[in-house]
Amino acid sequence: MSGLGQQEERASAEPPGQEALLEREAQLRSILETVPDGMIVIDERGIVQSFSAAAERMFGFTAAEVYGRNVSLLMPSPHSEHHDDYIQRYLTTGVRRIIGIGRVVAGRRKDGSTFPVELAVGEVKVAGGRLFTAFVRDVSERQATRQRLQELQADLSHVSRVSEMGQMASALAHEINQPLTAASNYLQAAQRLHARRDEADMPLLGEALEKARSQVERASEILRRLRGFIKKGEPEQQAEDIAKLIEEASAIALVGARERGVMVHFHPVPESGSVFVDRIQIQQVIVNLMRNAVEAMDGHPRRELTVATEPVAGDMLAVTVIDTGSGIAPEIAERLFQPFVTTKSAGMGVGLSICRSIIEGHGGQLSAKPNPAGGTIFSFTVPLAR
Ligand code: ADP
């Protein structure tokens, strides 16, 4: 990229002759043809100046179709509406959000489908102003570029400890239930002895009460242990940019979604601000909900997935994942958030119960309701960061 930048700068300092210009163009084209990543050059107004062959393959547009058009064409809503502002903000403030940083963002193909791209943007000063060069890498497809995703996934897999916690909690619940049942039996016996009002039963009565007491103590000991365990796994909450968090989680959740023909829409995510959460846990929830949504739309004629955010009462932010899939099977609707409830042959049925415990751990709520347009709407709330 720097080579290209130098060429551009030389060009601006000293206009080359016609032949040199043609040669330079041919050279540039051959570079563009061979760069494995997609390369897109835009000017300060966001207008596409060049579009490499790899970018054509990735986005499904030909270079001719995008030349002279705004690059926002290549990104899903709401970025498409805001991209001009992003450039403007950079030009006036000089604050870099993407340039030189590199991030996983969502790209939009000609057919409207979205896919995760790793984006790196460089800047080139030319006579008339500036050009921005974007390298895009389709991280949903390219084996060699899976690494960033793997890093994210490694982060997310930490959350499997939450799943262990869920399993442990159910084991512990069983363990607590035993002494409580025993205590209840001893107390019933004590009640019967007491009802007989026979002096001779007094020692037996005392014994039954003592046994009940020790069983209750056992239960409370188990609870103490459980509390200690939960404490260790307490989430590390801090202010996080919700838009970025959703974008990264979607990049993972949407791997393979293209093959399933899913259209993804993002609604007003970028200016939603910061939330006070454990990033990894909340990303795990989003990945779970989005994957469930994608699976629920398999084989359905309409496959639209929408992720939206909206501030709600009590300084909370609601994140909604809407699909147009099968809807919740009636036979599990009542028990949807209980562990081990699944309709999938290979399903564990723990996803939603973990999601709910994560969200409740953040002081929020997770719920599901039917989508009036067919499908399901899952929604959770998390606290906004002040
Ligand atoms: P799993 O995906 O392993 O089955 P989950 O707890 O994530 O576990 O989901 C439990 C069940 O809830 C699923 O098997 C499915 O029947 C139902 N479900 C979850 N999300 C959706 C959805 N978006 N649309 C329809 N059903 C869903």
Side-chain angles (χ1 to χ4, degrees), residues 288-289 292-296 323 325-329 332 336 338 341-344 346-353 375-376 378:
N288 248 307
L289 295 182
N292 275 345
V294 168
E295 281 175 19
D323 69 63
S326 58
I328 304 294
I332 60 155
L336 188 62
Q338 287 175 16
V341 170
T342 182
T343 54
K344 300 169 193 169
M348 279 263 292
V350 294
L352 288 177
S353 73
T376 313
F378 275 88

Side-chain angles (χ1 to χ4, degrees), residues 168-180 214-230:
M168 176 142 171
S170 83
L172 280 169
H174 183 70
E175 224 179 292
I176 292 167
N177 202 31
Q178 273 180 337
L180 289 181
S214 88
Q215 290 296 327
V216 169
E217 222 159 58
R218 210 182 114 200
S220 100
E221 172 56 29
I222 294 167
L223 276 177
R224 251 198 307 279
R225 264 172 24 216
L226 177 63
R227 236 193 339 252
F229 179 74
I230 288 171

Side-chain angles (χ1 to χ4, degrees), residues 308-372:
T309 59
E310 184 193 6
V312 289
D315 285 338
M316 304 290 275
L317 184 82
V319 178
T320 315
V321 178
I322 305 166
D323 69 63
T324 56
S326 58
I328 304 294
E331 69 271 21
I332 60 155
E334 295 278 27
R335 298 171 296 129
L336 188 62
F337 294 98
Q338 287 175 16
F340 312 118
V341 170
T342 182
T343 54
K344 300 169 193 169
S345 53
M348 279 263 292
V350 294
L352 288 177
S353 73
I354 293 172
C355 289
R356 181 169 264 190
S357 73
I358 289 175
I359 296 302
E360 287 178 352
H362 282 77
Q365 285 177 335
L366 169 66
S367 60
K369 62 177 180 189
N371 180 356

